[in-house]
Amino acid sequence: MFLTSPNKILGLDISDLSLKAVQIRRKMGGNYIQAFNSINLPPGIIEEGVIKDAEKVARLMRQLIQKSANKFTTRYAAISLPETKTFIKVIDIAHTDTQTDKVRDLISKELPRHMPLEMSEVQVDWQEIGNDHKYRKFLVAAVPRVIAEEYIKLCGLAQLEVVALEIEAQAITRAILPLAAEGNQRAWWNKLPWQKTKEATNNNKKDEGAKIILDLGATRTSIILLDKGIIQFANSIANISGEKITRTIMERKNLSYTKAEKAKLICGSDAKKCKGVIRDIMIEVIDELVKEIINTINFYQDHFSGQTKDLEIILCGGGSNMNRLDEILGKKLQRKILIANPLANISGELPRKIGNLYAYTTAIGLALKNMA
Ligand SMILES: Nc1ncnc2c1ncn2[C@@H]1O[C@H](COP(=O)(O)OP(=O)(O)OP(=O)(O)O)[C@@H](O)[C@H]1O
Ligand SMILES: [Mg+2]
């Protein structure tokens, strides 16, 4: 939801263990990355999305913006709120009802059935995403007011003004699917013939059909189910995460955190490296992930009557850098696995080399808010 609409914003992804910011510059109808930066947070200052030490986080946020190699030139920020604390839901409203009642009233009546909060406790945003002969379909996003206020206050401490609040699944989807999927017109610049080569290489171009986006983060994995480019639901799984893999390596190999993290990145899923020990741990986690994906697909078939025969899976987040993850998942699930392109809606070169592009997916999606 947009609170005000300035013409320059930065996307700010606030996670338990990292802050990432991206600013996009619009030129001749194209979106160019002007600045990006990330910073690790020490454990404990944000825990499961709850801000424990606002002063410290705000100080690091200032550093993130001021010490960036390329300049951020706005104090207006679009932020996402912790996945576990937000709700996103498709609500069907009968045409006959919308003739008599206002959509807002109908959503207010229906939404409390799908979340453990009262309407007075949440900020709500919605968009109409389709209709059939009987129902109008609305994608409704709800954010608890207390959480929203806490994050706005935190950004205020860092002299940033929050102008948009979003559910992370919305930001991720915006980054990796062509912007037209949001109902926006693609810029005329992107329709020019010489832009075709870039479009052809964009492996996420086809936005029809069911898809699962997996955001493999440090502290959790998010599963977002999309159909026809529209989010149907999103879930966060706390026990599948990059941190969990690192901590398991620490315990089993009796290593420090830093060494375990290094072993994870170097040996990964390669059976020939580190005597295959790291690979075995990774496979255990991948097997859990496979179970969750199968459950999600079954849930979508049973509760949404969704078509899942050709469902494809798109990987993003830092964990998608894991060596051969796409190949292993593809074999286990017998489905098409794609690695997301977080630059699907970005033109031109990056201002400098980016270390871990997939980890910037959310920040890029936030920075793209309101860019056609
Ligand atoms: N090559 C790699 N192999 C395996 N894991 C990797 C690799 N590169 C990065 N990671 C892992 O990705 C994770 C960081 O991803 P990301 O930056 O998306 O998380 P985050 O946004 O900070 O966390 P969250 O989204 O859970 O709040 C770390 O656990 C890191 O170890
Ligand atoms: Mg993340």
Side-chain angles (χ1 to χ4, degrees):
M1 56 198 77
F2 247 112
L3 308 174
T4 57
S5 195
N7 60 7
K8 275 193 218 167
I9 58 164
L10 59 88
L12 177 60
D13 174 12
I14 307 169
S15 300
D16 284 10
L17 299 174
S18 70
L19 298 172
K20 297 168 199 118
V22 171
Q23 187 179 341
I24 285 169
R25 186 167 38 98
R26 192 135 176 83
K27 203 175 83 185
M28 309 269 282
N31 301 315
Y32 295 81
I33 295 201
Q34 169 177 320
F36 66 86
N37 201 13
S38 73
I39 200 165
N40 287 336
L41 297 182
I45 61 173
I46 305 183
E47 273 176 2
E48 293 175 26
V50 180
I51 299 154
K52 300 283 183 179
D53 188 340
E55 293 285 343
K56 215 176 213 171
V57 181
R59 239 189 345 267
L60 291 164
M61 224 178 240
R62 283 312 302 150
Q63 247 184 55
L64 174 84
I65 305 299
Q66 287 173 341
K67 300 252 165 88
S68 167
N70 315 96
K71 292 270 165 287
F72 286 94
T73 52
T74 178
R75 63 182 184 87
Y76 297 112
I79 64 167
S80 63
L81 292 171
E83 188 82 52
T84 41
K85 308 231 164 6
T86 54
F87 306 90
I88 192 151
K89 180 92 201 128
V90 176
I91 288 185
D92 292 342
I93 295 181
H95 283 290
T96 45
D97 285 344
T98 54
Q99 278 158 15
T100 48
D101 281 306
K102 288 206 182 76
V103 170
R104 172 182 290 278
D105 296 339
L106 292 163
I107 288 176
S108 303
K109 241 190 260 168
E110 183 63 22
L111 192 59
R113 283 186 221 166
H114 305 280
M115 59 177 192
L117 294 166
E118 299 296 323
M119 282 305 284
S120 58
E121 295 173 290
V122 290
Q123 256 173 276
V124 179
D125 192 21
W126 69 84
Q127 91 190 82
E128 187 159 0
I129 53 171
N131 58 59
D132 55 27
H133 63 286
K134 221 167 152 194
Y135 294 104
R136 289 172 70 186
K137 285 181 181 299
F138 294 88
L139 182 67
V140 184
V143 166
R145 279 180 205 284
V146 265
I147 308 269
E149 278 157 18
E150 207 181 309
Y151 275 71
I152 291 173
K153 209 167 118 199
L154 169 70
C155 292
L157 281 177
Q159 280 119 50
L160 293 174
E161 187 177 328
V162 175
V163 289
L165 284 170
E166 267 198 321
I167 292 197
E168 192 168 5
Q170 294 174 296
I172 291 174
T173 308
R174 183 179 305 112
I176 66 180
L177 295 188
L179 277 175
E182 270 202 312
N184 296 338
Q185 287 296 308
R186 263 174 96 65
W188 62 269
W189 176 258
N190 289 331
K191 289 179 189 155
L192 295 173
W194 54 87
Q195 288 286 346
K196 281 218 172 93
T197 342
K198 187 171 176 208
E199 290 202 358
T201 56
N202 175 5
N203 55 11
N204 304 323
K205 177 77 188 82
K206 197 166 73 58
D207 57 4
E208 291 299 307
K211 298 183 193 320
I212 283 179
I213 300 177
L214 289 178
D215 173 19
L216 303 156
T219 58
R220 40 121 210 99
T221 292
S222 289
I223 301 192
I224 305 162
L225 201 139
L226 296 170
D227 213 337
K228 299 187 184 63
I230 292 160
I231 300 166
Q232 306 295 314
F233 57 84
N235 277 331
S236 257
I237 303 151
N239 72 343
I240 303 178
S241 69
E243 278 292 284
K244 188 180 170 190
I245 300 179
T246 306
R247 295 201 178 274
T248 313
I249 298 172
M250 277 171 80
E251 277 164 32
R252 297 215 195 142
K253 296 289 295 167
N254 205 13
L255 293 176
S256 69
Y257 179 89
T258 317
K259 285 197 172 145
E261 178 73 11
K262 205 167 162 193
K264 177 174 86 170
L265 303 192
I266 294 173
C267 308
S269 55
D270 193 334
K272 293 189 204 100
K273 290 186 183 153
C274 306
K275 297 188 193 127
V277 180
I278 313 296
R279 177 191 180 268
D280 293 347
I281 295 172
M282 295 246 183
I283 295 290
E284 282 171 32
V285 176
I286 294 172
D287 284 340
E288 280 177 49
L289 187 58
V290 166
K291 265 190 232 153
E292 293 289 348
I293 296 169
I294 293 172
N295 286 345
T296 305
I297 296 174
N298 291 342
F299 179 81
Y300 189 56
Q301 276 166 357
D302 298 347
H303 292 78
F304 290 72
S305 314
Q307 283 299 320
T308 57
K309 193 167 82 55
D310 298 319
L311 178 143
E312 53 192 34
I313 293 161
I314 306 174
L315 310 178
C316 69
S320 19
N321 289 301
M322 202 187 293
N323 182 24
R324 293 180 50 238
L325 176 64
D326 50 342
E327 186 193 318
I328 300 169
L329 275 179
K331 271 202 192 123
K332 287 187 185 270
L333 288 161
Q334 288 297 304
R335 289 192 183 263
K336 192 164 167 192
I337 315 288
L338 301 167
I339 310 259
N341 176 11
L343 301 178
N345 294 299
I346 302 295
S347 314
E349 300 287 313
L350 295 174
R352 64 191 157 92
K353 207 166 166 282
I354 208 160
N356 185 348
L357 174 65
Y358 305 118
Y360 277 93
T361 312
T362 301
I364 294 174
L366 289 166
L368 278 167
K369 191 162 171 71
N370 242 22
M371 304 256 179

